Amino acid sequence: ADVEAHFAAVIAADQKIEPRDWMPEAYRKGLVRQIAQHAHSEIIGMQPEGNWLTRAPSLARKAILLAKVQDEAGHGLYLYAAAETLGVQRDELYRMLLSGRQKYSSIFNYPTVTWADVGAIGWLVDGAAIVNQVPLCRCSYGPYARAMIRICKEESFHQRQGFDILYTLARGTDEQRAMAQDAVDRWWYPSLAMFGPPDAESTHSARSMAWKIKRFSNDELRQKFVDMTVQQAGVLGLTLPDDALAYDAGSGHWRYTAPDFAELAEVIAGNGPCNRQRIDHRRRAYDDGAWVRESAAAYAAKRAREAVPA
Amino acid sequence: ADVEAHFAAVIAADQKIEPRDWMPEAYRKGLVRQIAQHAHSEIIGMQPEGNWLTRAPSLARKAILLAKVQDEAGHGLYLYAAAETLGVQRDELYRMLLSGRQKYSSIFNYPTVTWADVGAIGWLVDGAAIVNQVPLCRCSYGPYARAMIRICKEESFHQRQGFDILYTLARGTDEQRAMAQDAVDRWWYPSLAMFGPPDAESTHSARSMAWKIKRFSNDELRQKFVDMTVQQAGVLGLTLPDDALAYDAGSGHWRYTAPDFAELAEVIAGNGPCNRQRIDHRRRAYDDGAWVRESAAAYAAKRAREAVPA
Amino acid sequence: MDRFGYLVGLGDDALVAAQRLAEWTANAPELEEDVALANIALDQLGQARLLLSYAAEVEGAGRDEDSLAYQRGEREFRNCQLVELPNGDFAVTIAKLLFLATYQHGLYAALRSSTDRRLAAIAAKATKETAYHVEHAALWTRRLGDGTAVGHERMTAAVEQVWPYTHELFSDWVPHGLVAAGVAVAPGTLRADWLSTVESALAEATVPRPDDGWRPGGGRDGVHTEAMGYLLAELQYLHRIFPGAAW
Amino acid sequence: MDRFGYLVGLGDDALVAAQRLAEWTANAPELEEDVALANIALDQLGQARLLLSYAAEVEGAGRDEDSLAYQRGEREFRNCQLVELPNGDFAVTIAKLLFLATYQHGLYAALRSSTDRRLAAIAAKATKETAYHVEHAALWTRRLGDGTAVGHERMTAAVEQVWPYTHELFSDWVPHGLVAAGVAVAPGTLRADWLSTVESALAEATVPRPDDGWRPGGGRDGVHTEAMGYLLAELQYLHRIFPGAAW
């Protein structure tokens, strides 16, 4: 059909598919799933860092953290809006999050145990997110690509802030330095796992590549992240917890120990340290807020009726 | 009538009226009011000190404070039991507390702002309570008198513990000493007000005296407390916040500035710093616990039915 | 109480308000409100930082915004009790914000012509920010008060619960010398405008304006509600563990 | 992990349990329960003090029960996560207590014959105390589980919520050398008796025994749930402000 040819041509020409364009149902569904999961991750991701808002150790750090967590809510909003261009409703997606039918990034199922974890999340988790997301700025679906451009800018800001927290701690007292190293030790492998299972076991990937939603394989992105992070760890003066890390002059890459994918599978299956807590938290906020949303809707309806001339 | 004569004779002989004895309705009602108010005070009094249970600065102090607050709950239980001998139900009295129809001691409507307040409550508030309560051990109503004997023993223990907290603080760092003095400054006049309005304005007193429920007037007890406390303040090395304090060699008593009875009246009327908080707290505990009490009652009823032979 | 104390009083109001608002993050009834409350918290925190930094300079004892925020004891905090009250449900938070922001907006608007130029500059920025806070709180007061029956009931209860604590905003705690010198504003002079704004916001929301009765206070003298100690323990704990460390 | 670490692990369980139970004071569903929970909290606190004091002596580094309780960071606390979980409703508290006390009772009963005589003496006292705790929790489990429909529903939900955290009680965290020396008990050996007691308590209460599935852990390595930081901030704040002061 014409529409199919048009779709294929746009993809081939590295141009953008827009909401009104015809698209294969699998393309649409895959995108909804991916964008929703991405949006959910932003929203759930507010919790581990939000955990330190009231306890941040300086007012400047408190302000930066508050702005960051606020950005995450904002990212969630852009992304839900991008998903809505594909004919779904935010509330519907949100309920799928709450009921567990849609996922969010498993990285947010680990607890933030100390203040240094806020730094490690910024440096490692946002760092990994950026490596994952920068290629999405060129993704074939226009609204998603445009949302990602905005998000990536802010994320790289967040990553620098996380780096800066760790940099300060690493140059602080012995206890602060130990706190920073401990956080890196705990967040390193979970961050590596953010790139998903190894290419050999990855589902969805081939078609996503063909459709130019995904541009690099999980292992390619993971390698890129390792190469980048090893350098930065040197600047921080902190150690990555992998004795096997070694520069391979031949490939120009750092060799590393792969994360424990069995653990990743467990966390994805719902058995990470904080899965229940994270979803319970969101459900509680949603349920506690029901009367507020209902009252606001009733108020809006009254105003709308009044606006209609009698 | 015979019963009236018997009642009068028992009172005159300084013996005890017991639950099965005839008593004037006003005697019974007055006692119910007084014992209930006393019980309510123990229960509400758990809150200001309970406020420091999770924050006590040493494990030894935490244990002592926990035992003390537990004693207060126990005192409440004895006293409600004493009131029940007069033909009322604890739950009925408790609901009168929650609805504001019965009072509790106004002293518990002040907040515990620092750890030193726990010391000041023990020393001054429990000290004043003891002065008030020791004569009640000889009160004409048997169950009340016996409850008071047990309570007074524990209270004097509590008073020494409070004194010891302040003694330690007064010999500690400058900040600790200042904390102790500040607490004494804030609790002194409210403690003086615990003895009630000046004799000239006191209601209930004359009849209570005649019936040997009350043995000394408000002002007599207040003076006794001042004389005792001035000595102890000297040992502590803390200052009572009254420039007019002076020893009167003629009377052998210390002259002092009377508390602000207008403020006392305000607090009694419901406008102390914590009146609403204290009652709201109790209501919340009562309401939140309703399902628990109901389930326990249902369980007990099932067991009782099973115990009946078929 | 001097200029330092005045600045600290205003700064503590903003700091404690920011701390309470930050507690809402990831707990708000909808995502847009997570964003909005974080925004308001950020504004309040920004005001607190400007005021406390300036206070520290005025004092000239080598302190800074962090030593003031993290190393004072509860009895040295000069905020009104209104801001330290627990968040309660969303209606209580909105009532607190409506009353606080309306007060702050009137205060900062007046302080724009303070003879203290640094304070006047802070006030100019804060006037704009608090105008948005008032608007936001008033909108939610209407949405809750004039929405569903449940919303109306909760908003009414919240306003009644918080109202007594508004009296302290207008208590006579500011040194008369500072007022005479045109540095500060006498709080009492702000109440008429405050009342008129608040009363019309409540009227539009069909929420009754409570009677004036109980007037708790003491915050300006460092006597706080029992909620304050827990707030400070959370705020200060980490900083206090490592005295003098940089973060 | 050595004898010091073992004692600290047991002591931290008791300390954190006491802290959570103390939160109930003046909040219990009835006065008798205020008394009972305070009693249990006192027992747990007493055990914590004996264990931490002894740990400090064993360490020989000049620390005492207070420096261990108040001056360690979160990552140094060795308690299981079960005890740090927020109190939740009364059913959650009872479920936590039933599981903890049953474990402690079996543990202390076994430790009465520890080759470490001091520990054996502490265990002898604690065995009696925890027997009462188990009985109290089991009684309430029946009252809630076999009382009203609401009680049954809440007790069932509470048991399901807390169950996963019981696995950590029996994790292999105790140095095998200590076990071999007869000082300590291998936690895994306690589970069979624990299960039998708990299963019959649940059965009598008509509460289903949850399936084993998720097995959170980490507490013995000092990796705690996010609730722990707030608990410690409250516990330690005052002591930390005045390092070295006597109280």
Side-chain angles (χ1 to χ4, degrees):
Chain A
D2 263 10
V3 288
E4 285 182 42
H6 175 74
F7 177 81
V10 169
I11 298 282
D14 256 347
Q15 290 183 332
K16 300 298 177 215
I17 302 295
E18 294 298 335
R20 294 179 174 205
D21 294 338
W22 179 89
M23 59 190 85
E25 187 55 19
Y27 178 89
R28 197 191 67 82
K29 276 199 172 161
L31 270 172
V32 166
R33 188 186 53 76
Q34 178 170 341
I35 300 174
Q37 174 162 338
H38 195 159
H40 299 332
S41 299
E42 296 282 356
I43 300 311
I44 296 290
M46 296 168 71
Q47 289 179 47
E49 291 173 291
N51 185 38
W52 284 92
L53 278 173
T54 58
R55 298 180 291 166
S58 77
L59 296 186
R61 292 288 180 203
K62 188 189 286 280
I64 291 168
L65 183 59
L66 190 48
K68 179 181 176 184
V69 178
Q70 188 194 29
D71 281 349
E72 287 161 3
H75 295 176
L77 286 171
Y78 310 156
L79 287 162
Y80 284 124
E84 287 190 330
T85 63
L86 293 160
V88 288
Q89 295 301 311
R90 174 171 125 193
D91 201 54
E92 176 189 337
L93 298 176
Y94 199 71
R95 277 191 305 243
M96 289 212 267
L97 166 66
L98 297 185
S99 66
R101 274 175 300 153
Q102 286 186 345
K103 303 284 184 197
Y104 56 89
S105 173
S106 280
I107 192 71
F108 301 119
N109 290 319
Y110 293 88
T112 48
V113 176
T114 73
W115 166 251
D117 290 27
V118 173
I121 288 182
W123 179 46
L124 295 174
V125 175
D126 291 343
I130 290 167
V131 169
N132 256 330
Q133 291 168 11
V134 163
L136 290 172
C137 297
R138 296 189 291 128
C139 133
S140 61
Y141 187 61
Y144 190 29
R146 288 188 292 272
M148 289 319 302
I149 289 170
R150 188 163 167 189
I151 289 171
C152 278
K153 265 189 211 156
E154 295 182 356
E155 292 285 7
S156 73
F157 203 59
H158 297 164
Q159 203 234 353
R160 279 204 298 277
Q161 291 165 347
F163 183 88
D164 190 56
I165 287 174
L166 291 179
Y167 191 87
T168 305
L169 292 176
R171 272 148 198 78
T173 65
D174 288 351
E175 291 98 333
Q176 286 179 307
R177 195 185 156 71
M179 190 190 278
Q181 183 62 56
D182 170 57
V184 170
D185 290 347
R186 283 180 290 105
W187 288 93
W188 171 247
Y189 283 107
S191 300
L192 283 189
M194 285 174 69
F195 298 92
D199 292 349
E201 297 160 30
S202 180
T203 49
H204 306 298
S205 277
R207 201 158 59 177
S208 282
M209 293 273 212
W211 279 336
K212 293 187 180 166
I213 294 170
K214 201 173 164 111
R215 302 244 170 196
F216 301 96
S217 78
N218 293 353
D219 286 332
E220 282 169 346
L221 292 167
R222 187 159 21 234
Q223 183 65 59
K224 194 170 173 188
F225 172 70
V226 171
D227 292 343
M228 182 183 95
T229 306
V230 169
Q231 309 294 330
Q232 295 174 355
V235 178
L236 286 174
L238 295 173
T239 308
L240 297 175
D242 181 357
D243 291 338
L245 265 183
Y247 188 69
D248 181 295
S251 66
H253 292 302
W254 286 81
R255 273 177 285 166
Y256 62 92
T257 305
D260 179 349
F261 290 111
E263 184 196 327
L264 175 64
E266 267 295 292
V267 178
I268 290 175
N271 294 328
C274 301
N275 299 56
R276 291 160 203 222
Q277 177 188 335
R278 298 292 183 237
I279 287 293
D280 285 350
H281 181 124
R282 264 292 145 208
R283 274 192 204 132
R284 195 183 331 111
Y286 191 76
D287 293 346
D288 289 354
W291 71 273
V292 175
R293 295 189 301 275
E294 285 159 15
S295 197
Y299 175 80
K302 281 189 200 176
R303 292 294 81 77
R305 278 197 300 277
E306 282 170 14
V308 178
Chain B
D2 264 7
V3 289
E4 285 182 42
H6 175 76
F7 177 81
V10 170
I11 298 283
D14 256 348
Q15 291 183 330
K16 300 298 177 215
I17 303 294
E18 295 299 334
R20 292 176 176 207
D21 295 338
W22 179 89
M23 60 190 87
E25 187 54 20
Y27 178 89
R28 198 190 66 82
K29 276 199 172 160
L31 270 171
V32 167
R33 187 186 54 75
Q34 179 171 340
I35 300 174
Q37 175 162 337
H38 195 158
H40 299 332
S41 299
E42 296 283 356
I43 301 311
I44 297 290
M46 296 168 71
Q47 289 179 47
E49 292 173 291
N51 185 38
W52 284 92
L53 279 173
T54 59
R55 298 180 291 165
S58 77
L59 296 186
R61 292 288 180 204
K62 188 189 286 281
I64 291 168
L65 183 59
L66 190 47
K68 179 181 176 183
V69 178
Q70 188 195 29
D71 281 347
E72 287 161 2
H75 296 176
L77 286 171
Y78 310 155
L79 287 163
Y80 284 125
E84 288 191 331
T85 64
L86 292 160
V88 289
Q89 295 301 310
R90 173 172 125 194
D91 201 55
E92 179 189 333
L93 298 175
Y94 199 71
R95 277 191 304 245
M96 289 212 267
L97 167 66
L98 297 185
S99 67
R101 273 175 301 152
Q102 286 187 344
K103 303 284 184 198
Y104 56 90
S105 173
S106 280
I107 193 71
F108 301 119
N109 291 319
Y110 294 87
T112 48
V113 176
T114 73
W115 167 251
D117 289 27
V118 173
I121 288 183
W123 178 46
L124 296 173
V125 175
D126 291 343
I130 291 166
V131 170
N132 257 329
Q133 291 169 9
V134 164
L136 290 172
C137 298
R138 295 189 293 127
C139 133
S140 61
Y141 187 61
Y144 191 28
R146 290 187 291 273
M148 289 318 304
I149 290 171
R150 187 163 169 190
I151 289 172
C152 278
K153 265 190 212 155
E154 294 182 356
E155 292 286 7
S156 73
F157 202 60
H158 297 165
Q159 202 232 354
R160 279 205 298 279
Q161 291 164 347
F163 183 87
D164 190 56
I165 288 174
L166 291 179
Y167 190 87
T168 306
L169 293 176
R171 271 145 197 80
T173 65
D174 288 351
E175 292 98 332
Q176 286 179 306
R177 195 186 157 71
M179 191 189 277
Q181 183 60 57
D182 170 58
V184 170
D185 290 347
R186 282 180 290 105
W187 288 92
W188 171 247
Y189 283 107
S191 300
L192 284 189
M194 284 174 70
F195 297 92
D199 293 348
E201 297 160 30
S202 180
T203 51
H204 306 299
S205 277
R207 201 158 58 178
S208 283
M209 293 272 210
W211 280 335
K212 294 188 179 166
I213 295 170
K214 203 172 164 115
R215 303 245 171 193
F216 301 97
S217 78
N218 293 353
D219 286 332
E220 283 166 347
L221 292 167
R222 188 161 18 236
Q223 183 66 59
K224 195 171 172 189
F225 173 70
V226 170
D227 292 343
M228 182 182 95
T229 306
V230 169
Q231 310 294 332
Q232 296 175 354
V235 179
L236 286 174
L238 296 172
T239 308
L240 298 175
D242 181 358
D243 292 337
L245 266 182
Y247 188 68
D248 181 296
S251 66
H253 292 303
W254 286 80
R255 272 176 285 167
Y256 63 93
T257 305
D260 180 349
F261 291 109
E263 185 197 325
L264 175 64
E266 268 293 294
V267 178
I268 291 174
N271 295 327
C274 302
N275 300 54
R276 291 161 202 221
Q277 178 189 334
R278 298 292 183 237
I279 288 294
D280 286 350
H281 181 124
R282 264 291 145 208
R283 273 192 204 132
R284 195 183 330 112
Y286 190 77
D287 293 346
D288 288 355
W291 71 273
V292 175
R293 295 189 301 275
E294 285 158 14
S295 196
Y299 175 80
K302 281 189 201 178
R303 292 295 80 77
R305 277 197 301 277
E306 283 170 13
V308 178
Chain C
M1 175 76 70
D2 46 6
R3 189 182 302 220
F4 170 76
Y6 184 60
L7 295 167
V8 164
L10 306 191
D12 285 348
D13 283 353
L15 175 62
V16 175
Q19 181 79 355
R20 284 290 186 221
L21 287 166
E23 292 174 13
W24 272 103
T25 310
N27 291 300
E30 56 187 31
L31 272 179
E32 286 80 355
E33 198 54 23
D34 269 319
V35 174
L37 290 178
N39 233 339
I40 296 173
L42 272 168
D43 287 345
Q44 294 279 346
L45 183 55
Q47 293 161 19
R49 295 180 64 195
L50 292 170
L51 289 161
L52 293 178
S53 293
Y54 182 35
E57 281 179 44
V58 164
E59 186 191 35
R63 297 207 276 184
D64 61 14
E65 61 178 45
D66 282 339
S67 34
L68 288 176
Y70 289 95
Q71 294 179 352
R72 277 181 300 150
E74 178 170 340
R75 295 284 279 109
E76 297 169 272
F77 272 79
R78 291 286 174 264
N79 56 281
C80 59
Q81 295 184 345
L82 172 72
V83 292
E84 78 205 34
L85 299 178
N87 280 336
D89 68 10
F90 188 68
V92 170
T93 289
I94 290 300
K96 284 175 62 180
L97 183 62
L98 176 68
F99 299 152
L100 174 72
T102 304
Y103 153 77
Q104 285 178 322
H105 185 249
L107 169 69
Y108 289 131
L111 284 177
R112 284 179 302 184
S113 42
S114 168
T115 53
D116 180 328
R117 289 179 147 196
R118 175 88 165 267
L119 179 55
I122 295 171
K125 180 169 182 293
T127 303
K128 287 176 209 149
E129 292 167 349
T130 49
Y132 162 71
H133 306 174
V134 173
E135 203 179 296
H136 188 75
L139 173 59
W140 270 111
T141 303
R142 294 196 295 279
R143 284 171 171 167
L144 301 181
D146 193 20
T148 61
V150 172
H152 180 78
E153 187 186 319
R154 291 208 185 196
M155 194 66 226
T156 301
V159 164
E160 265 171 31
Q161 181 188 325
V162 177
W163 186 266
Y165 293 91
T166 62
H167 294 293
E168 192 185 13
L169 298 171
F170 310 103
S171 69
D172 188 24
W173 67 284
V174 178
H176 298 179
L178 280 187
V179 174
V183 171
V185 174
T189 61
L190 300 167
R191 187 155 197 257
D193 282 354
W194 180 88
L195 257 186
S196 124
T197 303
V198 161
E199 285 179 351
S200 75
L202 294 179
E204 284 184 52
T206 72
V207 171
R209 186 270 218 215
D211 293 331
D212 294 323
W214 180 42
R215 294 160 182 265
R220 303 300 186 192
D221 301 317
V223 178
H224 295 282
T225 64
E226 290 177 357
M228 185 69 173
Y230 298 91
L231 181 146
L232 287 182
E234 220 172 290
L235 174 73
Q236 297 184 336
Y237 175 68
L238 178 56
H239 189 99
R240 291 269 202 178
I241 292 183
F242 302 103
W247 295 98
Chain D
M1 175 76 72
D2 46 7
R3 190 181 304 218
F4 170 77
Y6 184 60
L7 295 168
V8 163
L10 307 191
D12 285 348
D13 282 354
L15 175 63
V16 174
Q19 181 79 354
R20 284 289 185 222
L21 288 166
E23 291 175 13
W24 272 103
T25 310
N27 289 301
E30 56 187 31
L31 272 179
E32 286 80 354
E33 198 54 23
D34 269 317
V35 174
L37 291 178
N39 234 339
I40 297 173
L42 272 168
D43 286 344
Q44 293 279 345
L45 182 55
Q47 293 161 18
R49 294 180 65 195
L50 291 171
L51 290 161
L52 293 179
S53 293
Y54 182 35
E57 282 179 43
V58 164
E59 186 191 36
R63 296 206 277 184
D64 62 13
E65 61 178 46
D66 282 338
S67 34
L68 287 176
Y70 290 95
Q71 293 178 354
R72 277 180 301 151
E74 178 171 339
R75 295 283 280 109
E76 297 169 273
F77 272 81
R78 291 287 174 264
N79 56 282
C80 59
Q81 294 184 345
L82 172 71
V83 293
E84 77 205 33
L85 299 177
N87 280 335
D89 68 10
F90 188 67
V92 171
T93 289
I94 290 301
K96 283 175 63 181
L97 184 62
L98 176 67
F99 298 152
L100 174 72
T102 303
Y103 153 78
Q104 285 177 322
H105 185 250
L107 169 68
Y108 289 131
L111 284 178
R112 284 179 301 183
S113 41
S114 169
T115 53
D116 181 326
R117 290 178 148 199
R118 174 89 165 265
L119 178 55
I122 295 171
K125 180 169 183 292
T127 303
K128 288 175 209 151
E129 291 168 349
T130 50
Y132 163 70
H133 305 175
V134 172
E135 204 180 293
H136 188 76
L139 173 59
W140 271 113
T141 303
R142 293 195 297 277
R143 283 172 171 165
L144 301 181
D146 192 20
T148 61
V150 172
H152 181 77
E153 188 187 317
R154 291 209 186 193
M155 194 66 227
T156 301
V159 165
E160 265 172 29
Q161 182 188 324
V162 177
W163 187 266
Y165 292 91
T166 63
H167 294 293
E168 192 186 15
L169 297 172
F170 309 103
S171 69
D172 187 24
W173 66 283
V174 178
H176 297 179
L178 280 187
V179 174
V183 171
V185 174
T189 61
L190 299 167
R191 187 155 195 257
D193 282 353
W194 180 88
L195 256 186
S196 126
T197 303
V198 161
E199 284 178 348
S200 75
L202 294 179
E204 284 183 52
T206 72
V207 171
R209 186 267 217 216
D211 293 332
D212 293 323
W214 180 42
R215 293 160 183 265
R220 303 301 184 192
D221 301 317
V223 178
H224 294 282
T225 65
E226 289 177 359
M228 184 69 172
Y230 298 92
L231 181 147
L232 287 182
E234 222 172 289
L235 174 74
Q236 297 184 336
Y237 175 68
L238 179 56
H239 189 99
R240 292 268 202 178
I241 292 181
F242 301 104
W247 295 97

